[in-house]
Amino acid sequence: MWYNPFMIVTKDENGISVVGREFFDVADTLGCGQTFRFRSDGDGYVVRTADAACRVRQTADGARIDTDDPDRFYRYFALDEDYGEYYGRLRAFPELEKASEAGKGIRLLRQDPFEMIISFIISANNNIPRIKGIVERLCERAGRRTADGGYAFPTREELLPLSVTDYSALGAGYRDSYLYEAARTVTDGFLSELAALPTAEARKKLLTVKGVGPKVADCILLFGLGRGDCFPVDTWMKQALGTQELDTPAKICAHFTARYGTLSGLAQQYIFHYARNVEAHTR
DNA sequence: CGGCAGGTTCAGC
DNA sequence: GCTGAACCTGCC
């Protein structure tokens, strides 16, 4: 059992129970664009990562995760981390007062780096329903069957047999050749070098992959490599934060990573959530 | 039905 | 280095 002032987490053989829902909002955590592999199921969600699956739902006093692999999802949902503390630190920034309050239940998911590279190449200049569809079809096409009857995300080896035309047939559009190339570029060696590099150098390395630009690289670093010092700048960020001085994505990124440091990624998620779910509906 | 979607590439300065 | 046009596809 693990405890902090805001949350009590208990692991058992069938899953994980969380007491304290303030810093674990299931819908917000899954819905803020970090993962595309979840679907509604009754009063909760089925969530997949790599070759594992769980069912997660919000409960009266917290959340419940049912899974064969509690340790995996304990890490996946970062239940060893004190998001109450992170929230407190970010809330101290005046400009984050409203966004942090609205998004305090968001947690950054610890996901698989290879899965993140492929998924976020697909995400570029694309919409979420379509991204989810492409990822789902890719898993059905190339991933292994899992014990629960679903599909695992394909490994690099499982993607190698696919042709550019195969990716096109999955609906990937012009990203087909990027995916084909990425499966050849992103070897285990590439990934282990990536993990060993400081964030700035890891970012440069990711930018050598075709189809990976600054925004996608930051998403991979943040969601797949635990680099909290990244601040992905997308259309929402540009719209919410762009000013006369901060008039390019690179300037916005540099400004806010300098300001929020290792909590930049979480701050970005708070702002993204607020811009898309709160501000958009109140205007 | 045309614009848009959690951008990137490529060509031209 | 920086800027802008072109880009698959299917939701809204």
Side-chain angles (χ1 to χ4, degrees):
Chain A
M1 178 153 78
W2 184 85
Y3 169 84
N4 72 40
F6 308 100
M7 222 164 73
I8 302 169
V9 181
T10 314
K11 284 194 280 180
D12 58 66
E13 61 273 25
N14 298 316
I16 303 165
S17 290
V18 178
V19 176
R21 48 189 294 164
E22 190 176 16
F23 299 106
F24 187 12
D25 186 302
V26 174
D28 285 349
T29 296
L30 295 174
C32 63
Q34 343 180 37
T35 173
F36 307 107
R37 290 225 290 153
F38 68 99
R39 63 173 173 83
S40 289
D41 177 53
D43 59 343
Y45 303 86
V46 172
V47 180
R48 300 183 183 283
T49 178
D51 59 351
C54 77
R55 197 173 173 289
V56 57
R57 63 189 163 87
Q58 204 85 57
T59 59
D61 63 350
R64 172 67 194 179
I65 300 162
D66 292 293
T67 173
D68 295 338
D69 198 346
D71 290 325
R72 168 99 68 135
F73 286 96
Y74 184 80
R75 290 192 299 274
Y76 178 84
F77 287 109
L79 296 175
D80 56 329
E81 291 194 62
D82 186 353
Y83 272 75
E85 190 214 318
Y86 302 156
Y87 158 78
R89 282 161 58 190
L90 287 175
R91 200 184 186 289
F93 292 97
E95 74 277 15
L96 290 181
E97 197 178 324
K98 282 191 283 186
S100 56
E101 185 59 35
K104 65 164 77 166
I106 297 170
R107 309 178 72 82
L108 288 167
L109 300 171
R110 295 204 201 108
Q111 303 186 72
D112 179 74
F114 183 74
E115 182 172 338
M116 291 297 96
I117 291 174
I118 298 299
S119 299
F120 278 92
I121 287 176
I122 293 169
S123 81
N125 191 24
N126 211 339
N127 59 66
I128 290 176
R130 185 178 167 209
I131 298 164
K132 289 178 80 166
I134 297 167
V135 170
E136 195 176 332
R137 289 190 292 278
L138 180 65
C139 293
E140 289 167 4
R141 170 66 213 272
R144 282 171 303 164
R145 204 91 201 222
T146 55
D148 67 304
Y151 291 91
F153 196 90
T155 62
R156 169 183 125 83
E157 287 69 28
E158 287 164 346
L159 289 185
L160 287 176
L162 274 67
S163 67
V164 175
T165 310
D166 288 329
Y167 289 110
S168 191
L170 295 171
Y174 61 81
R175 304 160 198 81
D176 55 2
S177 59
Y178 303 158
L179 295 169
Y180 178 87
E181 282 298 321
R184 277 148 189 79
T185 313
V186 184
T187 60
D188 289 345
F190 182 101
L191 289 171
S192 57
E193 283 178 40
L194 197 64
L197 288 171
T199 301
E201 281 73 15
R203 194 173 193 265
K204 282 181 195 163
K205 191 173 177 67
L206 278 169
L207 290 175
T208 65
V209 180
K210 197 98 56 94
V212 177
K215 188 270 176 183
V216 167
D218 285 337
C219 285
I220 295 164
L221 290 165
L222 183 58
F223 306 138
L225 289 152
R227 306 301 176 92
D229 52 341
C230 289
F231 192 90
V233 178
D234 56 40
T235 49
W236 292 92
M237 291 300 111
K238 280 184 266 188
Q239 212 246 309
L241 305 174
T243 62
Q244 206 154 40
E245 296 133 25
L246 300 176
D247 58 346
T248 67
K251 287 181 195 170
I252 295 172
C253 181
H255 176 82
F256 287 100
T257 49
R259 185 164 174 78
Y260 303 131
T262 57
L263 292 181
S264 296
L266 184 60
Q268 191 271 3
Q269 289 298 94
Y270 285 168
I271 298 165
F272 179 73
H273 170 263
Y274 190 74
R276 205 174 62 163
N277 299 322
V278 184
E279 211 168 42
H281 295 308
T282 58
R283 238 174 333 123

